[in-house]
Amino acid sequence: MNKKLGLQIKNNRLKKRMSLSKLATIAGISKSYLSSIENHETNPSAHMIQKIAKALEVPVEQLLSIQVGILDPEWVDLVVQARDLGLNKEDIRDFLAYESWKCSDKEGV
């Protein structure tokens, strides 16, 4: 179970002074399901995470604790160029995985 996700959801909910019931209603999910996510008893689908983020009015990245600001601008440019060339997400992921492996392999030598 992703404990960080449940904690992030709960922290964001409390920051906005929302009850569990209110957030569940806005997100269109049951209170018990939301509680089970916050208490690390279940992992929500990507779709559910999006619904919760929208209800909390926060970016999905914030719930997932992804620090968008630390992305290397050169990598972002590469991804944008690849997308503009028509590469699909899987091809881009494979390329990034390969490049990451090359970088880590060089550092290990």
Side-chain angles (χ1 to χ4, degrees), residues 41-103:
E41 296 165 0
T42 189
N43 279 326
S45 67
H47 178 68
M48 286 296 140
I49 295 170
Q50 287 177 321
K51 288 176 79 167
I52 294 168
K54 185 176 179 181
L56 286 167
E57 299 176 340
V58 298
V60 170
E61 295 85 1
Q62 186 172 325
L63 295 183
L64 298 175
S65 300
I66 297 172
Q67 296 178 349
V68 177
I70 64 168
L71 293 176
D72 184 333
E74 289 181 36
W75 284 83
V76 173
D77 286 342
L78 284 173
V79 171
V80 170
Q81 288 174 20
R83 188 186 62 209
D84 290 345
L85 289 171
L87 295 176
N88 65 37
K89 287 181 183 179
E90 280 303 310
D91 290 339
I92 294 171
R93 280 189 196 109
D94 290 344
F95 171 74
L96 292 176
Y98 174 71
E99 287 299 314
S100 293
W101 172 78
K102 279 190 351 189
C103 290

Side-chain angles (χ1 to χ4, degrees), residues 21 23-31 33-34 37 48 51-52:
S21 297
L23 178 56
T25 299
I26 295 169
I29 60 178
S30 73
K31 179 181 168 184
Y33 182 62
L34 180 57
I37 294 169
M48 286 296 140
K51 288 176 79 167
I52 294 168

